[in-house]
Amino acid sequence: MKQRTIGKDVSVKGKALHTGQEVIMTLRPAPVDSGIIFRRTDVYGKPEFRPVADMADVSIRNTTVSHAHVKLHTIEHVNSALNGMGIDNCIVEMNASEPPILDGSARPVVHMIREAGIVDQEKERVYYSLKETVSVTDGNRSIIAIPFDGLRITCTSADDRGVHTQNLTIDISPDIYEALIAPARTFTIYEEIEQMLKQGLIQGGSLDSAIVIRGDKIISKEPLRFHDEFVRHKIMDLIGDLVLIGAPLKAHIVAVRTGHALNAKLTAAIRKQMLAPAPKKKGAASVIPPNAIALNIRQILNLVPHRYPFALIDRVTKIDHAEKCITAIKNVTLNEPFFQGHFPGNPVMPGVLQLEMMAQASGLLLLSVPEINDGGEKLTFFMSADKVKFRKPITPGDQVIIESKVTKNRGNKIFTAAATCKVDDEVVSSAEVMFTIMPMPKA
């Protein structure tokens, strides 16, 4: 299946649930591999980022994420609509920290997506298929995610009194989501409303955007849209929170009395599994084969310990064992986390990270030289840098070519390499970096 975005900009205006602010939200098309990106137009520099589980603040009532100095609140309904409708890439632009609550369901956002149109893109969608079961618990609440070829959700919704207990198992597809999940509205217990107002929450809440449960009575401006609307809304929220994994998921999820805090634990656990390096076979060496002339990102991650946000080599395009030199690539995008603070409105890649790119490429080079790496599992350690020069800034959209060549070898223990960073064939920074190579620590 191809990745998808929307066909045009589409906007809506409404009141935010918790802050009560009037908010304008615009959905915009985004290029392949962008993911769902949120942009705050009310903050200087219009910062934007792609929310993932690492950024989540544990919250009982909504999904909140923060990145640098920017926070987003109650994004679960927007994420749910985009995920449920199979939208991989989209920019969600808001002039506040929280999207409008609209009617308390995801249906209005689905209508926006339909109005904008759904467009197939040139690259294939890459799913994450759960490798092994993941489970999280909190008292009498639990979620288990089981490997499954598709997205199936089994959910039980209940309160502490055992009233309005509902169960549902459903296989999620865009058509099923639009008809049977998106219309389900948010709900709350009457006795909890006063306390939430005292906490500064639900300032924009009303019966236009929520169902209120009082005892065994349902208070709503319209009849229930489904006899089991509460459990369907729980599933809707869960589909939204799954966006924080960072890839469309294939799994069967069994949730009992879940909420956003437990959803956050689940997405963090699945994302950890997704990003974990592939286990090495017993006796396998963490070295580059002598005949390797290039490395993709998976091969790089199997060789080095660096991970987000510090994995700064995207691809190795050339290894010359005879000359002891290497050429690597770093694609710089506006989504790099350091651009939020360096600098707002004028993004420039920090010089220390340019030095780190040269160091990482040089470390991969050392692992590629057979007479240096004798076949055992090794790690390289950056010791010092000399003759460091920064000539031109690196900005979003640049493709940086990193070149490094071993210039000194002291007994196969300490090495010096000359490295440069180039953009458009022009050197933007350079340094001499010193390393040592050591056996991999035993677990």
Side-chain angles (χ1 to χ4, degrees):
M1 180 178 288
K2 298 291 187 182
Q3 293 185 33
R4 290 175 164 182
T5 188
I6 57 174
K8 64 178 182 179
D9 294 356
V10 60
S11 299
V12 70
K13 183 178 181 180
K15 187 174 289 188
L17 173 61
H18 291 298
T19 65
Q21 289 178 284
E22 287 290 332
V23 184
I24 298 174
M25 180 178 72
T26 302
L27 305 183
R28 302 187 188 278
V32 294
D33 296 334
S34 298
I36 297 172
I37 298 172
F38 282 77
R39 177 185 294 156
R40 287 279 303 274
T41 60
D42 59 315
V43 177
Y44 178 74
K46 298 181 180 181
E48 59 183 41
F49 64 94
R50 179 181 183 177
V52 291
D54 313 351
M55 306 174 187
D57 293 339
V58 175
S59 175
I60 296 174
R61 303 272 177 195
N62 62 76
T63 298
T64 297
V65 294
S66 57
H67 181 64
H69 63 292
V70 181
K71 280 197 172 186
L72 302 169
H73 306 274
T74 327
I75 59 174
E76 58 269 18
H77 294 184
V78 178
N79 275 344
S80 182
L82 292 166
N83 192 16
M85 295 300 291
I87 303 299
D88 302 279
N89 307 302
C90 184
I91 296 171
V92 182
E93 190 175 273
M94 304 187 301
N95 63 345
S97 63
E98 185 180 10
I101 188 60
L102 304 172
D103 74 346
S105 78
R107 187 166 67 179
V109 185
V110 170
H111 289 168
M112 293 174 69
I113 293 169
R114 286 298 185 192
E115 179 185 345
I118 298 174
V119 178
D120 285 345
Q121 298 176 287
E122 63 271 19
K123 284 187 75 173
E124 294 293 321
R125 176 181 296 162
V126 179
Y127 292 90
Y128 179 65
S129 296
L130 204 66
K131 294 184 177 67
E132 57 187 34
T133 298
V134 173
S135 65
V136 293
T137 61
D138 180 14
N140 60 357
R141 303 170 185 269
S142 66
I143 315 179
I144 300 174
I146 306 165
F148 179 74
D149 187 18
L151 180 57
R152 174 178 292 171
I153 299 178
T154 298
C155 188
T156 298
S157 174
D159 57 25
D160 292 330
R161 303 164 302 171
V163 181
H164 304 294
T165 299
Q166 299 176 356
N167 304 277
L168 181 64
T169 295
I170 192 165
D171 290 306
I172 303 301
S173 68
D175 289 342
I176 288 174
Y177 177 85
E178 182 175 8
L180 301 179
I181 299 298
R185 294 162 293 168
T186 192
F187 60 94
T188 189
I189 306 299
Y190 176 81
E191 290 77 12
E192 297 176 355
I193 293 176
E194 183 178 357
Q195 182 60 34
M196 285 192 287
L197 288 169
K198 288 180 180 178
Q199 293 172 345
L201 301 174
I202 62 170
Q203 302 300 305
S206 72
L207 288 178
D208 292 321
S209 57
I211 301 167
V212 176
I213 302 173
R214 187 174 188 180
D216 60 353
K217 305 292 184 184
I218 302 296
I219 305 172
S220 176
K221 274 199 170 182
E222 64 173 272
L224 290 178
R225 295 174 179 176
F226 307 96
H227 75 278
D228 54 357
E229 189 166 353
F230 305 147
V231 71
R232 291 173 189 264
H233 186 81
K234 287 288 187 180
I235 292 173
M236 190 198 84
D237 279 346
L238 179 55
I239 291 170
D241 289 339
L242 290 178
V243 169
L244 302 186
I245 293 170
L249 178 68
K250 286 188 176 183
H252 180 187
I253 298 175
V254 182
V256 179
R257 303 188 69 218
T258 188
H260 294 297
L262 199 59
N263 293 349
K265 290 182 180 180
L266 176 74
T267 57
I270 294 175
R271 183 167 172 81
K272 181 178 179 181
Q273 182 187 111
M274 182 177 75
L275 297 180
K280 297 187 181 76
K281 295 180 181 179
K282 189 174 181 180
S286 178
V287 297
I288 303 171
N291 60 345
I293 59 172
L295 298 170
N296 62 32
I297 186 62
R298 288 296 176 194
Q299 292 169 315
I300 292 169
L301 291 176
N302 284 338
L303 288 164
V304 299
H306 305 88
R307 292 298 181 266
Y308 175 88
F310 228 61
L312 298 178
I313 301 297
D314 293 332
R315 180 175 291 273
V316 173
T317 59
K318 181 182 178 183
I319 303 170
D320 189 325
H321 298 284
E323 294 296 324
K324 296 183 178 57
C325 59
I326 193 168
T327 303
I329 291 175
K330 166 61 180 173
N331 295 302
V332 181
T333 76
L334 189 59
N335 293 325
E336 309 288 351
F338 48 80
F339 283 141
Q340 298 297 323
H342 199 277
F343 301 96
N346 185 30
V348 176
M349 188 177 197
V352 67
L353 294 184
Q354 297 179 43
L355 183 59
E356 177 65 21
M357 286 194 299
M358 291 185 273
Q360 290 186 20
S362 301
L364 284 166
L365 173 59
L366 294 185
L367 294 174
S368 77
V369 179
E371 60 264 35
I372 294 175
N373 193 331
D374 57 8
E377 295 187 349
K378 299 291 181 67
L379 284 176
T380 56
F381 291 91
F382 184 23
M383 297 175 64
S384 67
D386 194 14
K387 300 179 182 178
V388 180
K389 294 182 180 180
F390 302 105
R391 294 176 170 85
K392 291 187 67 176
I394 297 175
T395 58
D398 286 342
Q399 183 179 75
V400 184
I401 307 299
I402 308 106
E403 297 176 346
S404 181
K405 179 180 175 66
V406 172
T407 56
K408 294 180 183 178
N409 178 350
R410 301 178 187 174
N412 277 357
K413 292 183 179 179
I414 297 176
F415 309 86
T416 301
T420 60
C421 290
K422 295 180 179 179
V423 175
D424 295 331
D425 291 326
E426 186 175 355
V427 174
V428 295
S429 55
S430 60
E432 285 188 357
V433 288
M434 184 179 291
F435 286 86
T436 186
I437 188 167
M438 298 177 62
M440 181 82 72
K442 294 183 179 180

